[in-house]
């Protein structure tokens, strides 16, 4: 079975990554790609690495252009996808890689994003623990899916096993992330120029202002947290893509190091794309480049009474496009791993 696919926002980084993965998917036929200011240009001029798609031309991003497809992936800035997707057919599978449909709490949207609130869709992190189940159960047969924020899903997956097992407290969480600038999109911004990034590390959205904070809190509440207090600090580093997230949380009284490892290993032992590394081994972003894989290293700081989880993902792959395609597979009844790889690119 083959599904016709359109990708809106195909000239950006997220759109390009969607197309790179979709091009090798055996059940998806990319028939339409769209953009805004680049409409009318050959796709290959904007995404020169996608040689197999050089026959495609970017169309206008309108409901009319996207109509008639089985699957529509939307990779637009926040505030832009909601006003577009409300005009698409209810029977079309629509996966939004932007932020417009991630938050169930309208007040959180108003506080961190602002503008029109377009409602929450099914959340596209299949492995996320939700009560006694996983989020993938909510994705089966879904027709509206919100792909996650890359930083948010990385932290959620890092800490959800501890929350669900009751071995960590959710009211004293600290996460510091080294992130590549591709997560900020392809638009020209002076602080993302190579000359501004090379040889330096730049913190941003410091002091509880990052827009992924309410998304992380939402995911951890789904995993079982009564309340979430999170200090979240991202740091831009000079690598094009990737996230290395170091998250720490206080252990609940009486929790042993062995029970901590048991919680994480039990949570992910049957997962293809989330893997806990052996004791004493920590991940590198280089090991997940181009892969739909989240790798986690786990340690217990006995003196501080805290668990330390170090997670590596490719922000464009598992963090965005891979999660979107993985979720689409589930929604359509395809094997979850179809078209996706756990293997990275090295060196």
């Amino acid at each position: 079975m083959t599904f016709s696919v359109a990708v809106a926002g195909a000239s950006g980084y997220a759109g390009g990554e969607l197309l790179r993965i979709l091009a090798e998917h055996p059940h998806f036929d990319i028939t339409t790609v769209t953009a805004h200011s680049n409409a009318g240009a050959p796709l290959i001029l904007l995404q020169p690495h996608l040689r197999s798609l050089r026959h495609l031309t970017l169309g206008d991003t309108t409901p009319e252009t996207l109509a008639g497809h089985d699957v529509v992936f939307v990779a637009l800035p926040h505030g832009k996808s909601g006003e577009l997707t409300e005009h698409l057919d209810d029977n079309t599978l629509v996966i939004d890689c932007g932020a417009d449909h991630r938050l169930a709490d309208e007040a959180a949207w108003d506080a961190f994003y602002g503008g029109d609130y377009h409602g929450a869709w099914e959340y596209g992190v299949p492995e996320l623990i939700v009560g006694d189940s996983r989020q993938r159960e909510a994705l089966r047969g879904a027709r509206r899916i919100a792909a996650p924020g890359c930083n948010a899903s990385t932290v959620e997956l890092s800490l959800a096993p501890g929350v669900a097992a009751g071995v960590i407290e959710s009211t004293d969480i600290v996460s510091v992330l080294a992130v590549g600038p591709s997560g900020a999109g392809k638009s020209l911004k002076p602080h993302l120029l190579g000359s501004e990034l090379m040889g330096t590390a730049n913190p941003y959205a410091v002091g509880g202002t990052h827009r992924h904070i309410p998304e992380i809190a939402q995911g951890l509440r789904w995993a079982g947290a009564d309340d979430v207090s999170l200090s979240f600090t991202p740091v831009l580093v000079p690598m094009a893509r990737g996230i290395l997230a170091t998250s720490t949380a206080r252990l609940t009284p009486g929790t042993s190091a062995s029970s901590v490892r048991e919680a994480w290993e039990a949570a992910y032992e049957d997962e293809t794309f989330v893997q806990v590394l052996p004791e004493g081994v920590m991940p590198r972003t280089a090991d997940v480049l181009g892969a739909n894989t989240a790798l986690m290293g786990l340690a217990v700081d006995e003196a501080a009474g805290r668990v330390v989880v170090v997670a590596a993902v490719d922000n464009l792959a598992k963090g965005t496009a891979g999660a979107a395609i993985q979720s689409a597979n589930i929604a359509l009844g395809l094997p979850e791993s179809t078209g996706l790889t756990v293997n990275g690119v090295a060196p």
Side-chain angles (χ1 to χ4, degrees):
M1 180 179 293
T2 301
F3 300 92
S4 61
V5 174
V7 176
S11 61
Y13 287 136
E17 188 72 355
L18 281 164
L19 292 169
R20 182 183 73 85
I21 300 172
L22 289 168
E24 303 300 323
H25 197 292
H27 297 291
F28 288 157
D29 180 21
I30 305 166
T31 59
T32 301
V33 292
T34 76
H36 177 52
S37 60
N38 292 306
L43 175 68
I44 201 69
L45 290 183
L46 281 303
Q47 306 287 7
H49 60 300
L50 301 177
R51 306 311 300 179
S52 68
L53 303 178
R54 60 188 180 277
H55 60 285
L56 294 174
T57 298
L58 292 161
D60 289 318
T61 303
T62 65
E64 293 75 20
T65 304
L66 300 174
H69 296 84
D70 298 315
V71 186
V72 176
F73 292 91
V74 181
L76 300 176
H78 81 269
K80 298 299 183 182
S81 57
E83 61 191 39
L84 174 73
T85 57
E86 64 184 17
H87 299 292
L88 300 180
D89 189 278
D90 290 343
N91 293 320
T92 300
L93 172 57
V94 183
I95 303 96
D96 182 13
C97 294
D100 286 21
H101 302 285
R102 294 172 187 160
L103 297 180
D105 182 356
E106 184 174 355
W109 172 267
D110 291 340
F112 282 83
Y113 289 93
D116 293 338
Y117 177 68
H118 295 279
W121 291 356
E122 300 296 350
Y123 191 54
V125 183
E127 303 91 348
L128 181 63
I129 298 170
V130 179
D132 296 327
S133 187
R134 299 295 168 112
Q135 181 60 17
R136 64 168 50 86
E137 298 306 317
L139 298 173
R140 301 190 195 281
R143 283 300 174 264
R144 293 291 188 271
I145 297 172
C150 52
N151 297 314
S153 61
T154 305
V155 176
E156 291 164 1
L157 291 170
S158 293
L159 297 175
V163 168
V167 299
I168 63 171
E169 298 176 358
S170 60
T171 53
D172 184 15
I173 295 171
V174 178
S175 292
V176 179
L177 294 78
V179 301
S182 58
K186 207 171 186 178
S187 299
L188 179 62
K189 302 179 180 79
H191 72 286
L192 299 180
L193 293 172
S195 56
E196 301 293 333
L197 284 172
M198 295 300 105
T200 184
N202 305 325
Y204 67 101
V206 178
T209 62
H210 197 282
R211 288 167 168 165
H212 287 177
I213 290 174
E215 185 180 341
I216 296 167
Q218 173 179 269
L220 295 182
R221 286 194 297 269
W222 289 343
D226 293 326
D227 189 23
V228 178
S229 175
L230 168 68
S231 174
F232 178 90
T233 306
V235 181
L236 283 174
V237 296
M239 59 184 181
R241 53 202 286 168
I243 297 172
L244 190 72
T246 302
S247 300
T248 79
R250 190 171 300 281
L251 298 171
T252 55
T255 296
S256 65
S258 60
S259 62
V260 167
R261 176 157 288 275
E262 181 180 322
W264 266 262
E265 291 183 345
Y268 295 130
E269 62 183 349
D270 295 325
E271 296 291 348
T272 300
F273 296 118
V274 182
Q275 302 177 13
V276 179
L277 299 176
E279 188 169 355
V281 180
M282 293 293 154
R284 309 178 306 163
T285 56
D287 300 329
V288 295
L289 185 66
N292 192 53
T293 313
L295 297 181
M296 292 184 192
L298 191 66
V300 171
D301 186 335
E302 299 279 6
R306 302 182 73 87
V307 66
V308 181
V309 185
V310 182
V313 304
D314 184 325
N315 60 295
L316 294 177
K318 179 57 173 168
T320 305
I325 293 168
Q326 185 181 346
S327 298
N329 286 339
I330 296 169
L332 294 168
L334 300 172
E336 189 171 327
S337 61
T338 306
L340 299 166
T341 182
V342 297
N343 296 324
V345 177

